[in-house]
Short mmCIF file of all heavy atoms in Angstrom, two decimals:
data_model
loop_
_atom_site.label_atom_id
_atom_site.label_comp_id
_atom_site.label_asym_id
_atom_site.label_seq_id
_atom_site.Cartn_x
_atom_site.Cartn_y
_atom_site.Cartn_z
N CYS H 1 110.70 83.90 95.61
CA CYS H 1 110.50 84.61 96.88
C CYS H 1 110.92 83.67 98.00
O CYS H 1 110.54 82.49 98.02
CB CYS H 1 109.01 84.97 97.03
SG CYS H 1 108.70 85.84 98.60
N PRO H 2 111.68 84.20 98.98
CA PRO H 2 112.15 83.37 100.10
C PRO H 2 110.99 82.90 101.02
O PRO H 2 111.10 81.92 101.77
CB PRO H 2 113.11 84.14 100.89
CG PRO H 2 112.95 85.54 100.44
CD PRO H 2 112.30 85.50 99.07
N HIS H 3 109.78 83.56 100.92
CA HIS H 3 108.63 83.20 101.76
C HIS H 3 107.98 81.87 101.25
O HIS H 3 107.88 80.94 102.04
CB HIS H 3 107.68 84.37 101.77
CG HIS H 3 106.33 83.93 102.36
ND1 HIS H 3 105.14 84.06 101.66
CD2 HIS H 3 106.00 83.50 103.58
CE1 HIS H 3 104.15 83.67 102.44
NE2 HIS H 3 104.64 83.39 103.62
N ALA H 4 107.55 81.86 100.06
CA ALA H 4 106.79 80.72 99.54
C ALA H 4 107.38 80.02 98.35
O ALA H 4 106.82 79.03 97.82
CB ALA H 4 105.36 81.16 99.21
N GLY H 5 108.52 80.54 97.84
CA GLY H 5 109.15 79.92 96.72
C GLY H 5 108.51 80.23 95.39
O GLY H 5 108.90 79.68 94.33
N THR H 6 107.57 81.20 95.41
CA THR H 6 106.93 81.57 94.17
C THR H 6 107.71 82.61 93.42
O THR H 6 108.51 83.31 94.01
CB THR H 6 105.50 82.11 94.45
OG1 THR H 6 105.67 83.26 95.36
CG2 THR H 6 104.60 81.10 95.09
N PRO H 7 107.51 82.73 92.08
CA PRO H 7 108.19 83.79 91.34
C PRO H 7 107.70 85.16 91.86
O PRO H 7 106.49 85.29 92.32
CB PRO H 7 107.76 83.62 89.91
CG PRO H 7 107.11 82.27 89.87
CD PRO H 7 106.71 81.90 91.25
N LEU H 8 108.54 86.16 91.74
CA LEU H 8 108.13 87.51 92.15
C LEU H 8 107.06 88.09 91.24
O LEU H 8 106.09 88.72 91.64
CB LEU H 8 109.25 88.47 92.22
CG LEU H 8 110.05 88.51 93.57
CD1 LEU H 8 110.69 87.22 93.92
CD2 LEU H 8 111.00 89.66 93.67
N ASN H 9 107.22 87.85 89.94
CA ASN H 9 106.25 88.37 89.00
C ASN H 9 105.16 87.29 88.79
O ASN H 9 105.44 86.10 88.85
CB ASN H 9 106.93 88.66 87.67
CG ASN H 9 107.60 87.43 87.03
OD1 ASN H 9 108.15 86.65 87.73
ND2 ASN H 9 107.57 87.36 85.68
N LEU H 10 103.94 87.73 88.51
CA LEU H 10 102.85 86.81 88.28
C LEU H 10 102.57 86.65 86.81
O LEU H 10 102.42 85.57 86.29
CB LEU H 10 101.57 87.20 89.02
CG LEU H 10 101.60 86.98 90.47
CD1 LEU H 10 100.28 87.44 91.11
CD2 LEU H 10 101.79 85.54 90.82
N PHE H 11 102.42 87.80 86.12
CA PHE H 11 101.91 87.75 84.71
C PHE H 11 102.86 88.30 83.65
O PHE H 11 102.67 88.17 82.50
CB PHE H 11 100.60 88.46 84.61
CG PHE H 11 99.62 87.97 85.61
CD1 PHE H 11 99.18 88.70 86.67
CD2 PHE H 11 99.05 86.69 85.43
CE1 PHE H 11 98.26 88.24 87.56
CE2 PHE H 11 98.17 86.22 86.31
CZ PHE H 11 97.75 86.96 87.41
N ASN H 12 103.89 89.07 84.07
CA ASN H 12 104.76 89.75 83.12
C ASN H 12 106.09 89.92 83.69
O ASN H 12 106.49 89.32 84.72
CB ASN H 12 104.16 91.08 82.63
CG ASN H 12 103.84 91.98 83.84
OD1 ASN H 12 104.62 92.02 84.78
ND2 ASN H 12 102.76 92.71 83.81
N ASP H 13 106.93 90.73 83.06
CA ASP H 13 108.25 90.99 83.51
C ASP H 13 108.42 92.15 84.44
O ASP H 13 109.50 92.70 84.55
CB ASP H 13 109.17 91.13 82.31
CG ASP H 13 109.46 89.89 81.55
OD1 ASP H 13 109.27 88.79 82.19
OD2 ASP H 13 109.83 89.89 80.39
N ARG H 14 107.42 92.56 85.13
CA ARG H 14 107.54 93.69 86.05
C ARG H 14 107.84 93.15 87.42
O ARG H 14 107.10 92.35 88.01
CB ARG H 14 106.23 94.48 86.13
CG ARG H 14 106.00 95.18 84.74
CD ARG H 14 104.82 96.16 84.84
NE ARG H 14 104.59 96.77 83.53
CZ ARG H 14 105.09 97.90 83.20
NH1 ARG H 14 105.85 98.60 83.98
NH2 ARG H 14 104.85 98.41 82.01
N PHE H 15 108.97 93.66 87.99
CA PHE H 15 109.40 93.27 89.30
C PHE H 15 109.49 94.42 90.32
O PHE H 15 109.58 94.11 91.50
CB PHE H 15 110.83 92.64 89.14
CG PHE H 15 110.83 91.38 88.37
CD1 PHE H 15 111.05 91.42 86.99
CD2 PHE H 15 110.59 90.17 88.98
CE1 PHE H 15 111.05 90.27 86.23
CE2 PHE H 15 110.53 89.01 88.23
CZ PHE H 15 110.73 89.09 86.82
N MET H 16 109.36 95.63 89.83
CA MET H 16 109.51 96.77 90.74
C MET H 16 108.08 97.20 91.18
O MET H 16 107.07 97.00 90.48
CB MET H 16 110.17 97.98 90.01
CG MET H 16 111.59 97.68 89.58
SD MET H 16 112.74 97.32 90.91
CE MET H 16 112.86 98.91 91.69
N ASP H 17 108.01 97.86 92.31
CA ASP H 17 106.75 98.44 92.75
C ASP H 17 106.38 99.63 91.85
O ASP H 17 107.12 100.06 90.99
CB ASP H 17 106.79 98.80 94.24
CG ASP H 17 107.75 99.89 94.62
OD1 ASP H 17 108.42 100.49 93.74
OD2 ASP H 17 107.88 100.18 95.82
N LEU H 18 105.19 100.25 92.15
CA LEU H 18 104.77 101.38 91.27
C LEU H 18 105.69 102.56 91.35
O LEU H 18 105.74 103.35 90.35
CB LEU H 18 103.32 101.78 91.62
CG LEU H 18 102.28 100.70 91.38
CD1 LEU H 18 100.91 101.18 91.89
CD2 LEU H 18 102.20 100.44 89.88
N ASP H 19 106.37 102.75 92.48
CA ASP H 19 107.33 103.89 92.57
C ASP H 19 108.69 103.59 92.04
O ASP H 19 109.60 104.43 92.18
CB ASP H 19 107.38 104.31 94.03
CG ASP H 19 106.06 104.78 94.59
OD1 ASP H 19 105.28 105.35 93.86
OD2 ASP H 19 105.86 104.58 95.88
N ASN H 20 108.95 102.40 91.61
CA ASN H 20 110.27 101.99 91.10
C ASN H 20 111.33 102.09 92.20
O ASN H 20 112.43 102.50 92.00
CB ASN H 20 110.75 102.74 89.88
CG ASN H 20 110.27 102.09 88.64
OD1 ASN H 20 109.82 100.91 88.60
ND2 ASN H 20 110.28 102.84 87.54
N THR H 21 110.90 101.76 93.45
CA THR H 21 111.81 101.86 94.59
C THR H 21 112.20 100.49 95.08
O THR H 21 113.37 100.23 95.38
CB THR H 21 111.06 102.59 95.78
OG1 THR H 21 110.72 103.88 95.29
CG2 THR H 21 112.04 102.78 96.98
N TYR H 22 111.26 99.58 95.15
CA TYR H 22 111.52 98.24 95.74
C TYR H 22 111.12 97.16 94.70
O TYR H 22 110.14 97.30 93.94
CB TYR H 22 110.70 98.00 97.00
CG TYR H 22 111.05 98.95 98.12
CD1 TYR H 22 110.24 100.02 98.38
CD2 TYR H 22 112.27 98.79 98.80
CE1 TYR H 22 110.65 100.93 99.46
CE2 TYR H 22 112.62 99.65 99.83
CZ TYR H 22 111.81 100.66 100.13
OH TYR H 22 112.14 101.57 101.15
N LEU H 23 111.76 96.00 94.81
CA LEU H 23 111.34 94.79 94.12
C LEU H 23 110.13 94.28 94.90
O LEU H 23 110.12 94.36 96.17
CB LEU H 23 112.48 93.78 94.10
CG LEU H 23 113.72 94.14 93.27
CD1 LEU H 23 114.86 93.24 93.67
CD2 LEU H 23 113.42 94.11 91.82
N LEU H 24 109.16 93.78 94.17
CA LEU H 24 107.90 93.40 94.84
C LEU H 24 107.44 92.02 94.46
O LEU H 24 107.48 91.70 93.28
CB LEU H 24 106.77 94.40 94.38
CG LEU H 24 105.42 94.19 94.92
CD1 LEU H 24 105.40 94.47 96.45
CD2 LEU H 24 104.44 95.14 94.25
N CYS H 25 107.16 91.17 95.46
CA CYS H 25 106.59 89.88 95.24
C CYS H 25 105.08 90.07 95.07
O CYS H 25 104.41 90.49 95.99
CB CYS H 25 106.96 88.90 96.35
SG CYS H 25 106.21 87.29 96.13
N ARG H 26 104.62 89.67 93.92
CA ARG H 26 103.24 89.85 93.64
C ARG H 26 102.31 88.82 94.36
O ARG H 26 101.05 88.95 94.40
CB ARG H 26 102.93 89.71 92.08
CG ARG H 26 103.72 90.73 91.21
CD ARG H 26 103.28 92.15 91.47
NE ARG H 26 103.67 93.09 90.44
CZ ARG H 26 104.72 93.81 90.44
NH1 ARG H 26 105.62 93.60 91.31
NH2 ARG H 26 105.02 94.58 89.44
N THR H 27 102.85 87.76 94.94
CA THR H 27 102.05 86.82 95.66
C THR H 27 101.51 87.31 96.97
O THR H 27 100.37 87.25 97.23
CB THR H 27 102.82 85.52 95.81
OG1 THR H 27 103.28 85.05 94.54
CG2 THR H 27 101.99 84.41 96.45
N HIS H 28 102.46 87.78 97.85
CA HIS H 28 102.09 88.27 99.19
C HIS H 28 102.51 89.64 99.47
O HIS H 28 102.40 90.10 100.66
CB HIS H 28 102.63 87.30 100.20
CG HIS H 28 102.05 85.92 100.16
ND1 HIS H 28 102.77 84.85 99.69
CD2 HIS H 28 100.80 85.51 100.39
CE1 HIS H 28 102.00 83.78 99.76
NE2 HIS H 28 100.77 84.14 100.11
N GLY H 29 103.01 90.43 98.44
CA GLY H 29 103.34 91.76 98.65
C GLY H 29 104.62 92.14 99.35
O GLY H 29 104.83 93.24 99.80
N ALA H 30 105.56 91.16 99.51
CA ALA H 30 106.79 91.43 100.13
C ALA H 30 107.58 92.47 99.30
O ALA H 30 107.58 92.34 98.12
CB ALA H 30 107.63 90.12 100.29
N LYS H 31 108.27 93.35 99.98
CA LYS H 31 109.15 94.34 99.32
C LYS H 31 110.54 94.07 99.64
O LYS H 31 110.92 93.82 100.80
CB LYS H 31 108.72 95.74 99.79
CG LYS H 31 107.43 96.27 99.29
CD LYS H 31 107.22 97.65 99.72
CE LYS H 31 105.86 98.14 99.17
NZ LYS H 31 105.68 99.58 99.53
N PHE H 32 111.44 94.14 98.62
CA PHE H 32 112.81 93.90 98.74
C PHE H 32 113.63 95.09 98.28
O PHE H 32 113.29 95.72 97.28
CB PHE H 32 113.23 92.69 97.87
CG PHE H 32 112.50 91.41 98.19
CD1 PHE H 32 111.21 91.11 97.61
CD2 PHE H 32 113.01 90.56 99.12
CE1 PHE H 32 110.59 90.02 97.94
CE2 PHE H 32 112.34 89.36 99.47
CZ PHE H 32 111.09 89.08 98.88
N GLU H 33 114.74 95.39 98.97
CA GLU H 33 115.64 96.45 98.53
C GLU H 33 116.22 96.00 97.26
O GLU H 33 116.66 94.86 97.08
CB GLU H 33 116.70 96.69 99.63
CG GLU H 33 116.20 97.27 100.86
CD GLU H 33 117.20 97.41 101.98
OE1 GLU H 33 118.28 96.84 101.88
OE2 GLU H 33 116.95 98.24 102.87
N TYR H 34 116.32 96.93 96.32
CA TYR H 34 116.77 96.63 94.96
C TYR H 34 118.19 96.21 94.90
O TYR H 34 118.52 95.19 94.25
CB TYR H 34 116.60 97.92 94.05
CG TYR H 34 117.20 97.71 92.77
CD1 TYR H 34 116.62 96.95 91.74
CD2 TYR H 34 118.44 98.33 92.43
CE1 TYR H 34 117.23 96.75 90.53
CE2 TYR H 34 119.04 98.16 91.18
CZ TYR H 34 118.41 97.38 90.23
OH TYR H 34 118.97 97.15 89.04
N LYS H 35 119.09 96.88 95.63
CA LYS H 35 120.49 96.63 95.49
C LYS H 35 120.98 95.30 96.15
O LYS H 35 121.83 94.65 95.62
CB LYS H 35 121.30 97.80 96.03
CG LYS H 35 122.75 97.83 95.66
CD LYS H 35 122.88 98.04 94.19
CE LYS H 35 124.36 98.00 93.84
NZ LYS H 35 124.61 97.52 92.45
N ASN H 36 120.37 94.91 97.30
CA ASN H 36 120.91 93.74 98.00
C ASN H 36 119.85 92.64 98.09
O ASN H 36 120.21 91.51 98.58
CB ASN H 36 121.47 94.15 99.39
CG ASN H 36 120.47 94.67 100.25
OD1 ASN H 36 119.23 94.59 100.05
ND2 ASN H 36 120.87 95.29 101.38
N GLY H 37 118.62 92.90 97.80
CA GLY H 37 117.60 91.89 97.83
C GLY H 37 116.99 91.60 99.16
O GLY H 37 116.33 90.55 99.36
N LYS H 38 117.27 92.44 100.18
CA LYS H 38 116.72 92.21 101.51
C LYS H 38 115.29 92.58 101.58
O LYS H 38 114.90 93.64 101.16
CB LYS H 38 117.59 93.05 102.53
CG LYS H 38 117.12 92.75 103.93
CD LYS H 38 117.95 93.55 104.99
CE LYS H 38 117.53 93.23 106.38
NZ LYS H 38 118.34 93.97 107.31
N CYS H 39 114.51 91.66 102.20
CA CYS H 39 113.10 91.93 102.35
C CYS H 39 112.91 92.92 103.52
O CYS H 39 113.37 92.59 104.65
CB CYS H 39 112.32 90.60 102.71
SG CYS H 39 110.54 90.84 102.86
N ILE H 40 112.20 94.02 103.24
CA ILE H 40 112.04 95.04 104.32
C ILE H 40 110.59 95.14 104.79
O ILE H 40 110.30 95.77 105.70
CB ILE H 40 112.54 96.42 103.85
CG1 ILE H 40 111.97 96.82 102.50
CG2 ILE H 40 114.09 96.40 103.72
CD1 ILE H 40 110.93 97.81 102.63
N ALA H 41 109.70 94.45 104.09
CA ALA H 41 108.28 94.41 104.44
C ALA H 41 107.61 93.09 103.84
O ALA H 41 107.90 92.79 102.70
CB ALA H 41 107.53 95.62 103.94
N GLY H 42 106.78 92.53 104.62
CA GLY H 42 106.08 91.32 104.18
C GLY H 42 106.42 90.08 105.02
O GLY H 42 107.16 90.13 105.99
#
């Protein structure tokens, strides 16, 4: 994650949010556009 340097996943290989729309950082909840990796929230 560009915010804290932590991995996006905490416990497993799940990187998408529950809606399978955005990549999600499990540490602070940042959301990233899937196709380009841009953080749009967090």
Side-chain angles (χ1 to χ4, degrees):
C1 180
H3 169 241
T6 57
L8 270 65
N9 59 324
L10 286 179
F11 304 112
N12 56 37
D13 286 338
R14 292 187 183 267
F15 295 92
M16 300 298 291
D17 64 4
L18 293 176
D19 297 329
N20 274 342
T21 304
Y22 297 104
L23 294 164
L24 179 68
C25 178
R26 302 294 197 270
T27 304
H28 295 110
K31 289 185 177 183
F32 301 88
E33 293 178 340
Y34 171 74
K35 194 67 183 153
N36 65 13
K38 183 177 183 180
C39 182
I40 54 102

